[in-house]
């Protein structure tokens, strides 16, 4: 039996996974349309490389299809599981990238317009990105999930397998560290 899910976005993820396991490709399309954009956005923010982010998105969705047969409806939220998988894939890629020899990396050419406002915005973004990069992984992840992905502290706690209090502590320490790092560049940011 095939049910057309394309027009019914109210169908829950557990039902869609069950239908996918029964061979319904429309269910897979809807799950992909529902979750891939957020996965791609998170990966882009974490990796700052669109090609890598697309690879992570594909890999996260492939892991979903491989896991679908053992998915237990009513258990973990699919979105939380996908965010955790995406975050872990990004962290793995960032660790691999850190181990590469920077001299061997090709020089990046920026052919975007060089208007003053674009430069100022890029400068501010660079300072913030550099400050974020210097934070410990867990603080950076917590700040990214909270302020860029707009997740709640309980969602972050579930994703990072921490208590809500531990997430709040990570966020507080991360904000203090980020503020201190940015304070050194206050004149450039204003």
């Amino acid at each position: 039996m095939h049910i057309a899910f394309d027009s019914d976005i109210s169908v829950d993820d557990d039902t869609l996974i069950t239908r996918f396991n029964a061979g319904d490709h429309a269910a897979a399309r809807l799950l992909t349309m529902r979750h891939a954009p957020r996965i791609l956005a998170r990966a882009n923010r974490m990796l700052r490389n669109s090609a890598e982010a697309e690879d992570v998105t594909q890999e996260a969705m492939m892991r979903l299809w491989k896991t679908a047969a053992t998915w237990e409806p009513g258990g973990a939220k699919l979105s939380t599981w996908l965010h955790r998988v995406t975050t872990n894939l990004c962290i793995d890629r960032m660790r691999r990238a850190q181990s590469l020899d920077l001299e061997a990396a090709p020089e990046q050419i920026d052919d975007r317009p060089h208007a003053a406002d674009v430069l100022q915005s890029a400068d501010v973004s660079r300072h913030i990105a550099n400050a974020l990069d210097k934070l410990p992984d867990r603080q950076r992840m917590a700040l990214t999930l909270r302020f860029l992905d707009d997740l709640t502290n309980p969602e972050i706690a579930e994703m990072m397998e921490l208590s809500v209090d531990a997430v709040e502590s990570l966020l507080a320490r991360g904000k203090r560290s980020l503020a201190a790092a940015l304070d050194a560049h206050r004149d450039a940011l204003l």
Side-chain angles (χ1 to χ4, degrees):
M1 177 172 133
H2 172 78
I3 299 174
F5 287 108
D6 289 331
S7 61
D8 187 1
I9 60 172
S10 65
V11 177
D12 66 89
D13 290 339
D14 286 341
T15 300
L16 291 173
I17 290 175
T18 301
R19 294 302 308 153
F20 169 74
N21 287 330
D24 189 340
H25 296 290
R29 272 193 308 278
L30 185 53
L31 281 167
T32 301
M33 289 184 332
R34 183 178 289 173
H35 294 285
R38 287 192 74 183
I39 293 170
L40 181 61
R42 164 164 294 128
N44 262 319
R45 281 191 293 272
M46 291 184 74
L47 299 171
R48 292 183 214 94
N49 180 312
S50 60
E52 290 282 322
E54 289 173 9
D55 289 348
V56 164
T57 302
Q58 289 177 353
E59 191 170 343
M61 293 307 294
M62 289 304 298
R63 287 190 184 190
L64 170 61
W65 307 136
K66 289 176 184 176
T67 304
T70 60
W71 188 263
E72 294 190 28
K77 271 180 65 175
L78 178 61
S79 60
T80 302
W81 182 86
L82 281 169
H83 289 301
R84 183 179 302 141
V85 167
T86 302
T87 300
N88 289 340
L89 289 170
C90 288
I91 288 171
D92 289 346
R93 285 178 183 259
M94 289 186 295
R95 286 181 181 148
R96 274 183 278 177
Q98 288 174 351
S99 67
L100 294 176
D101 180 13
L102 292 178
E103 293 299 321
E107 184 176 337
Q108 297 293 320
I109 299 173
D110 185 4
D111 58 357
R112 292 178 289 178
H114 296 289
D117 56 336
V118 172
L119 289 175
Q120 177 63 28
S121 177
D123 194 41
V124 169
S125 295
R126 184 178 49 80
H127 284 297
I128 292 171
N130 287 339
L132 272 171
D133 286 343
K134 292 177 184 171
L135 293 177
D137 287 342
R138 289 165 43 112
Q139 287 180 18
R140 182 177 54 248
M141 185 185 313
L143 287 172
T144 301
L145 293 172
R146 178 68 186 101
F147 297 107
L148 297 178
D149 292 334
D150 202 28
L151 296 179
T152 65
N153 290 357
E155 289 172 321
I156 296 168
E158 183 179 345
M159 189 175 304
M160 293 181 70
E161 298 177 347
L162 299 170
S163 69
V164 174
D165 288 341
V167 168
E168 290 171 356
S169 177
L170 275 175
L171 289 171
R173 287 194 317 268
K175 286 192 289 187
R176 281 193 303 271
S177 297
L178 189 60
L182 293 174
D183 194 44
H185 304 284
R186 182 186 323 207
D187 291 337
L189 296 173
L190 297 176

